[in-house]
Amino acid sequence: WGLSFSSCQKANGFPLSKSSASKKQKQHQRIRKEKPQQHNFTHRLLAAALKSHSGNISCMDFSSNGKYLATCADDRTVRIWSTKDFLQREHRSMRANVELDHATLVRFSPDCRAFIVWLASGDTLRVFKMTKREDGGYTFTATPEDFPKKHKAPVINIAIAGTGKFIMTVSSDTTVLIWNLKGQVLSTINTNQMNNTHAAISPCSRFVASCGFTPDVKVWEVCFGKKGDFQEVVRAFELKGHSAAVQSFAFSNDSRRMASVSKDGTWKLWDIDVEYKKQQDPYLLRTGRFEEAGTMLCRLALSPDAQVLALASGRSIHLFNTRRGEKEECFEQVHGECITDLSFDITGRFLASCGDRAVRLFHNTPGHRAVMEEMQGHLKRASNDSTRQRLQQQLTQAQETLKSLGALKK
């Protein structure tokens, strides 16, 4: 990470322990009658609810190694959850305290040895280093220097490139900043989209994309030299086809697909695996209806394999298959507040959502159905026995999973 940690702020972090408050806190909570009721939600596809935060959760991030989920809330803490506990009865989490402030956004570094947060009052980036301790827990240490303040409008997203070469921050005006890891601005992008509603880095780290008031998604390439030195940011391509403002978009894990949702009441799936330097445009693969996007703020998540699109509006979540554009599941009143973040885990087995003080994890049944369909197609064309055996194994596994969830369609 190339950061100096000599004069570190107070370190905090606890061994993996159950999410139970001390007796003193429990008594304190009994006195405070005005404490909001936890929102109760049940559904046959609800895999787990993660509860430790005492404030509303605004952002989540899965680590690239698949081991952890980070959440931040207005209770001045970041929680790191162990994904292997998701289906257990107890959900262990580690706590990192955000001194005299709270984090609105959180992202793991690619090596999973640090995470960055955006500070609500400080209006800047802070880096926390994660150091493993002998007892299996972690110590979280904030670096002595926060990033310099550069944005003039509220920051709506942050990201770290998977290569670890740069950080992106985007604000609600038309600014996207590209930083190195030492906190120096490498490039300032003016999106010319009146105002930004979302920006993200592609998983391959090659592209940065943004959307806003205009009906397109703009994509830039962040170019580095042979020796890893930053060179420039250049326009790459655009996703053109919506007829109103684009609310959000996402990349597939292999950076070959993108999905977008617009105020025109539609979502679109795109093939962006094109030679844009030869003026080849992305292909529109599918358009689906999502009327809610016309009137409400929407969030979007695309499963790693691009087979499932999750859309959240208000407190509800809708799951579509991208092969035919059909809605397969709908979860209503999932949280006590509007949904603030939506994300598939890296295996694509779960979809996580947040908005109130709990993270809710759903089984991605459309994803399992997509695997079944794909394997059935491959089986028809399979030429040898070992291939057939492997495909049959994957097919059976998907069927068994759906059966256990009571979601196997006859």
Side-chain angles (χ1 to χ4, degrees), residues 376-395:
Q376 282 161 342
H378 287 326
L379 269 168
K380 284 175 189 158
R381 298 187 296 275
S383 50
N384 62 35
D385 283 348
S386 64
T387 307
R388 218 174 268 120
Q389 212 172 343
R390 196 186 73 244
L391 294 168
Q392 189 59 55
Q393 209 175 346
Q394 285 173 279
L395 176 60

Side-chain angles (χ1 to χ4, degrees), residues 135-389:
D135 62 9
Y138 277 88
T139 300
F140 302 109
T141 319
T143 54
E145 292 290 319
D146 291 338
F147 274 35
K149 291 187 193 186
K150 296 285 182 186
H151 283 281
K152 295 178 175 65
V155 164
I156 54 173
N157 200 19
I158 62 175
I160 309 182
T163 53
K165 284 184 186 170
F166 67 95
I167 287 171
M168 178 221 71
T169 55
V170 52
S171 47
S172 61
D173 49 10
T174 60
T175 309
V176 173
L177 295 181
I178 305 297
W179 310 71
N180 67 13
L181 275 65
K182 295 191 175 89
Q184 294 158 328
V185 175
L186 300 172
S187 183
T188 303
I189 303 169
N190 176 2
T191 63
N192 287 317
Q193 289 171 314
M194 302 271 290
N195 65 308
N196 299 328
T197 50
H198 187 60
I201 304 174
S202 62
C204 66
S205 300
R206 203 176 144 191
F207 302 114
V208 164
S210 81
C211 67
F213 188 73
T214 56
D216 46 21
V217 177
K218 293 184 178 175
V219 184
W220 289 264
E221 183 170 0
V222 184
C223 306
F224 286 85
K226 290 262 192 294
K227 292 180 181 147
D229 49 314
F230 170 75
Q231 289 183 327
E232 57 176 348
V233 174
V234 293
R235 287 291 289 274
F237 54 87
E238 292 182 11
L239 305 183
K240 290 177 176 296
H242 284 294
S243 58
V246 177
Q247 295 216 35
S248 192
F249 65 85
F251 289 91
S252 64
N253 201 35
D254 61 7
S255 303
R256 290 162 69 168
R257 299 280 183 272
M258 279 178 82
S260 56
V261 62
S262 160
K263 278 197 167 157
D264 62 14
T266 69
W267 58 264
K268 291 180 184 289
L269 182 75
W270 311 82
D271 178 350
I272 62 161
D273 190 17
V274 295
E275 294 197 49
Y276 76 87
K277 284 175 181 162
K278 296 179 181 171
Q279 275 62 58
Q280 200 181 4
D281 288 322
Y283 299 101
L284 176 63
L285 297 173
R286 178 91 52 251
T287 299
R289 298 295 306 159
F290 189 61
E291 305 292 346
E292 290 88 337
T295 54
M296 294 172 83
L297 189 66
C298 283
R299 303 205 169 261
L300 172 152
L302 187 61
S303 64
D305 61 6
Q307 294 282 1
V308 186
L309 179 68
L311 289 163
S313 62
R315 295 156 57 178
S316 302
I317 300 170
H318 310 260
L319 295 186
F320 294 82
N321 67 52
T322 56
R323 295 181 313 294
R324 290 181 295 279
E326 304 157 334
K327 189 190 287 194
E328 285 198 30
E329 305 288 354
C330 180
F331 311 128
E332 290 183 335
Q333 310 298 321
V334 178
H335 294 277
E337 309 275 340
C338 283
I339 292 166
T340 50
D341 204 0
L342 200 58
S343 176
F344 285 92
D345 77 318
I346 66 162
T347 65
R349 287 186 331 189
F350 300 111
L351 173 71
S353 69
C354 62
D356 49 22
R357 290 179 289 153
V359 172
R360 303 203 193 277
L361 291 155
F362 293 92
H363 290 284
N364 176 18
T365 46
H368 295 299
R369 289 192 200 107
V371 169
M372 267 179 62
E373 218 169 284
E374 203 181 344
M375 295 312 138
Q376 282 161 342
H378 287 326
L379 269 168
K380 284 175 189 158
R381 298 187 296 275
S383 50
N384 62 35
D385 283 348
S386 64
T387 307
R388 218 174 268 120
Q389 212 172 343

